[in-house]
Amino acid sequence: QVQLVESGGGLVQAGGSLRLSCVLSGSIFSITAIDWFRQAAGKQREVVASISSGGGLGYADSVKGRFTISRDNTKNTVYLQMNSLKPEDTAVYYCNARVGDVDYWGQGTQVTVSS
């Protein structure tokens, strides 16, 4: 079992920045990858950034050059630094941990970008 707790969301003006945090606990040694997803109202959940256990990174085209995923193993935390935010980035952001074929999810944190 893996538990995830996100924080850092909020209201920001377009062009601003936020840093989301995802604190991991439980059987974190078994995690193969961590993803940040987002789900806007009325839309499907989509992956925005990924980091593998080996450190490999991946980003959705819509956030490349603006978002950065990173991790601090000493704090069991994965971050999503979001810069140059746009109104279309407004969504609930979720942290996901993959353990084999099982996905674990956090509760989500709301990000709202005003124009």
Side-chain angles (χ1 to χ4, degrees):
Q1 292 279 341
V2 176
Q3 294 79 43
L4 306 93
V5 179
E6 302 102 329
S7 63
L11 173 64
V12 64
Q13 288 188 331
S17 299
L18 284 173
R19 188 178 76 161
L20 305 183
S21 300
C22 175
V23 178
L24 310 167
S25 60
S27 301
I28 58 176
F29 59 89
S30 60
I31 295 172
T32 54
I34 300 287
D35 305 307
W36 281 100
F37 283 76
R38 68 185 180 188
Q39 188 167 19
K43 295 187 177 181
Q44 288 189 330
R45 194 171 294 191
E46 62 175 356
V47 61
V48 295
S50 301
I51 184 166
S52 71
S53 57
L57 305 177
Y59 296 95
D61 287 343
S62 59
V63 306
K64 278 181 182 176
R66 300 188 299 123
F67 290 11
T68 303
I69 188 170
S70 63
R71 67 187 182 193
D72 184 338
N73 291 331
T74 66
K75 297 181 179 179
N76 294 333
T77 302
V78 175
Y79 301 99
L80 184 68
Q81 178 67 44
M82 306 186 295
N83 299 328
S84 302
L85 283 163
K86 305 175 182 180
E88 51 263 45
D89 294 318
T90 295
V92 178
Y93 284 71
Y94 298 91
C95 188
N96 168 279
R98 280 182 268 156
V99 178
D101 294 331
V102 180
D103 288 320
Y104 295 91
W105 295 90
Q107 81 287 354
T109 185
Q110 176 71 47
V111 172
T112 303
V113 184
S114 63
S115 57

